[in-house]
Amino acid sequence: MSRYSAVIFDLDGTLLDTLADLTDAVNYALNLHGFPTRTLAEIRAFVGNGVANLISRAIPDGRSNPSFDQCLADFRKYYSAHMECKTAAYEGIIDLLAYLAGHNYRTAIVSNKFDAAVKQLSEQYFGSYIQVTIGESAGVTKKPAPDTVIKAMAELGATPEHTIYVGDSEVDVATAKNAGLPCVGVTWGFRDREVLQSLGTDYIINTPQELLAIIED
């Protein structure tokens, strides 16, 4: 019998490489307002805690900038129309999700990306392999608060004792701890192995297939 019956995944940097599309959308918004653009490496360091925080880190003077709200709105509009231009599933992810679905694991995505984008990307890239998708929305506290993870477990009919969380960043490790779940950190995402180790991540994997050794132990 498998050790876990439910797996909750982060999205950006864990299942999908969204970095190039996020960078293009940020730079589109910054350009509109005459601000300096950001590099791929800078955006990689900025992501992980929702799009409002992403823009606040990218725009000069952050949230105190008078153009912040409009820049965020411009980002959202552009990204909603261009979120699938360069985005792709990481190597091995589709095979992993197909295996999980075929062996009756319950799966969910919990992300700080806005909810409509999470649902659109999940449907486009993963279809029926993912049963529950939850993104940032009004009335639900985003990660690292445990609220969205708890909501996902409720919708899956899963218990904390048999659920594991998979992510790639500081926010993900904190989210898992706050939800009382073991955390698997992935090295192919937006943070390096050293960062994950420093956070006390329960497990660290280098390829998607390595997750099976953990959940089926």
Side-chain angles (χ1 to χ4, degrees):
M1 180 178 294
S2 298
R3 186 177 179 184
Y4 299 101
S5 58
V7 185
I8 297 177
F9 294 96
D10 171 54
L11 182 61
D12 296 54
T14 300
L15 297 178
L16 291 180
D17 184 355
T18 56
L19 191 58
D21 282 333
L22 287 169
T23 300
D24 287 350
V26 169
N27 285 336
Y28 170 83
L30 292 175
N31 264 321
L32 277 183
H33 297 273
F35 299 130
T37 57
R38 296 292 192 164
T39 66
L40 204 70
E42 286 176 315
I43 299 301
R44 183 175 186 260
F46 294 161
V47 295
N49 204 15
V51 295
N53 281 316
L54 170 59
I55 296 301
S56 74
R57 292 163 182 161
I59 193 173
D61 300 319
R63 292 173 189 263
S64 64
N65 189 310
S67 298
F68 171 78
D69 288 337
Q70 187 57 51
C71 194
L72 175 59
D74 292 332
F75 165 86
R76 285 179 179 271
K77 182 177 179 180
Y78 183 90
Y79 187 71
S80 294
H82 300 87
M83 69 176 73
E84 298 171 29
C85 295
K86 300 175 182 177
T87 288
Y90 287 103
E91 183 177 357
I93 288 295
I94 300 300
D95 289 341
L96 171 65
L97 296 180
Y99 178 92
L100 295 176
H103 289 77
N104 299 315
Y105 286 92
R106 286 165 282 180
T107 55
I109 292 172
V110 170
S111 173
N112 279 342
K113 186 190 292 290
F114 54 100
D115 190 64
V118 175
K119 287 177 167 51
Q120 181 176 328
L121 289 170
S122 178
E123 176 62 28
Q124 173 66 26
Y125 290 93
F126 310 128
S128 62
Y129 290 157
I130 298 291
Q131 297 160 304
V132 171
T133 56
I134 299 173
E136 181 184 17
S137 62
V140 181
T141 308
K142 66 182 182 180
K143 302 185 297 184
D147 302 47
T148 49
V149 172
I150 292 170
K151 187 173 188 289
M153 285 192 289
E155 292 187 23
L156 289 174
T159 62
E161 295 79 14
H162 299 288
T163 303
I164 197 165
Y165 184 95
V166 183
D168 71 300
S169 73
E170 303 94 329
V171 171
D172 293 312
V173 177
T175 300
K177 288 181 178 179
N178 291 336
L181 303 181
C183 183
V184 179
V186 307
T187 61
W188 58 81
F190 296 163
R191 299 294 185 269
D192 297 328
R193 169 180 284 273
E194 291 73 21
V195 172
L196 296 171
Q197 288 176 327
S198 71
L199 297 169
T201 312
D202 297 287
Y203 307 94
I204 297 178
I205 59 176
N206 299 309
T207 68
Q209 289 302 114
E210 291 178 21
L211 178 65
L212 301 180
I214 296 169
I215 65 175
E216 298 187 334
D217 183 17

